[in-house]
Amino acid sequence: MNFRKTLAGLLLSAVTLAVSAAEPEAKKPTAEKPESTKPEAKKPASGGKARQRGQSERTCALTVTWWEEPALGEGERLELGVQGDNGVTPIAPSTMSPSGTFLYEGPAAVAIVRKGTVPPPPDAKPGTKPTETWFPFVSFNLGPDDHEALAILFSLDGTRKVMTRTFNINTENFPFGGFHVYNFSKTKLLCSMGGKVFYAEPGRRTPSPVVMTQREVVNFFLGMTDADGVQKLIYRAPLILNEKIRRLYFVVENPGAEPENRFVTHTMMQHVAGHKTVESMKGQDAPAGGEGEEKGGKPTKASAKKPDGATGEAPAKPKAQ
């Protein structure tokens, strides 16, 4: 009996010692685990915020102009703006003038908005004024390569609808000294500039092969080929051109007019002194033209001079039939 009691006592003591020795080992991992996971939990949160900031879908030196300003009723105002990532930029487009360039940062689908008012709600206090806000007006798209773009607004006759045409005017495609013909007609046009002949296809913009590198007078001819295969002269004039001006030359056709008035031309010119780029407006670089502007697109005293050739077209000679 004594031996059994002694053996039982030894077994009980061994079990007690084993349990007490195992308890510290079991508690250690539970105490360390929360401390090692806390820093790891913060990393995804900070990384997610950085990805959300991103860049604008389009960044562009944008110019907006009217082809012809719409007729407004008495007391009616037309206040426009462009909606971008940083809010609305008010604009005041002039007629056929590539001025007023501003920095656009926003979606590829550019939204032009019009300022209007919202009447107060029925339960508003007496004397509550209407609230000013921006309403959709018209929109157009910018391409991924449109770092400089021109948008022309067309007011449709007899309606309040407006349509747009956009033009990529990056200097690598449309340099100063360049002359582009946009043929709005349905007729293939024959062009001659400085003795070099090129064709302006219907509904397309065609660059002249002549790019000016100095100031000179260039003879310009515009013609067409009739149904009988006979070439007819539509317009001719000596133009005073130089390397500081680029021109968009529009040709519009009125099929119902007399032959001598069937085609009408319009010219839009931009001088290098008024040229702005994304870099110049951000203050990162000098404008591509270089002359007459400081960083940020601000004109210097030299740019106050009258642009060379701004009114340099000589009177057109009589049209030949």
Side-chain angles (χ1 to χ4, degrees):
M1 291 293 292
N2 293 333
F3 174 77
R4 290 180 180 177
K5 290 181 180 179
T6 304
L7 180 61
L10 291 173
L11 289 173
L12 179 63
S13 300
V15 170
T16 304
L17 289 172
V19 170
S20 60
E23 283 180 355
E25 295 298 324
K27 291 180 180 178
K28 284 181 182 178
T30 56
E32 293 176 359
K33 193 172 181 180
E35 295 177 2
S36 63
T37 56
K38 283 182 181 179
E40 295 295 326
K42 293 180 180 179
K43 289 180 182 178
S46 62
K49 289 182 181 179
R51 285 193 296 270
Q52 290 175 0
R53 285 194 283 268
Q55 292 183 346
S56 298
E57 188 176 6
R58 294 287 185 271
T59 299
C60 176
L62 182 60
T63 306
V64 181
T65 184
W66 284 104
W67 177 267
E68 185 177 356
E69 287 193 52
L72 301 177
E74 186 176 352
E76 188 178 5
R77 294 187 304 168
L78 187 60
E79 296 183 61
L80 301 179
V82 174
Q83 178 70 58
D85 287 347
N86 300 317
V88 175
T89 301
I91 59 173
S94 52
T95 301
M96 294 295 283
S97 173
S99 59
T101 303
F102 62 95
L103 179 64
Y104 173 77
E105 295 177 295
V110 181
I112 296 182
V113 291
R114 178 178 183 176
K115 183 177 282 189
T117 57
V118 177
D123 58 349
K125 294 181 180 180
T128 302
K129 295 181 179 180
T131 303
E132 283 192 339
T133 188
W134 296 98
F135 295 94
F137 186 66
V138 70
S139 64
F140 57 90
N141 292 320
L142 290 175
D145 296 328
D146 291 344
H147 307 302
E148 296 180 41
L150 171 68
I152 302 181
L153 307 180
F154 296 84
S155 179
L156 304 183
D157 293 338
T159 70
R160 290 182 175 270
K161 293 183 178 179
V162 173
M163 62 173 290
T164 63
R165 287 286 183 93
T166 57
F167 304 86
N168 179 308
I169 55 173
N170 297 352
T171 50
E172 57 266 28
N173 304 322
F174 188 21
F176 284 88
F179 187 99
H180 287 199
V181 177
Y182 199 107
N183 185 4
F184 275 124
S185 77
K186 296 181 179 180
T187 304
K188 183 177 181 178
L189 299 175
L190 176 66
C191 309
S192 176
M193 175 172 283
K196 293 188 178 181
V197 176
F198 61 101
Y199 290 93
E201 298 290 342
R204 293 182 59 184
R205 172 181 165 194
T206 305
S208 165
V210 178
V211 178
M212 306 307 299
T213 57
Q214 61 183 3
R215 181 186 175 94
E216 62 180 289
V217 178
V218 176
N219 289 315
F220 177 69
F221 298 89
L222 189 65
M224 60 171 286
T225 304
D226 63 16
D228 299 327
V230 179
Q231 291 184 349
K232 291 187 176 180
L233 187 64
I234 298 172
Y235 177 85
R236 63 178 177 181
L239 305 179
I240 302 175
L241 306 178
N242 64 54
E243 77 286 0
K244 297 179 182 180
I245 294 176
R246 56 181 178 178
R247 302 185 185 214
L248 270 173
Y249 195 80
F250 300 93
V251 182
V252 182
E253 182 178 10
N254 182 5
E258 295 296 326
E260 61 271 15
N261 299 318
R262 181 177 169 185
F263 294 91
V264 180
T265 61
H266 303 269
T267 304
M268 187 183 299
M269 299 181 290
Q270 186 182 44
H271 193 272
V272 69
H275 179 229
K276 294 181 181 180
T277 65
V278 170
E279 291 76 18
S280 69
M281 287 186 287
K282 284 186 173 183
Q284 295 174 350
D285 199 356
E291 248 180 82
E293 284 194 358
E294 298 172 342
K295 288 186 178 180
K298 296 180 181 180
T300 62
K301 292 181 180 180
S303 66
K305 296 180 181 179
K306 187 176 180 181
D308 293 339
T311 57
E313 292 192 10
K317 296 182 180 179
K319 298 174 183 176
Q321 302 300 323

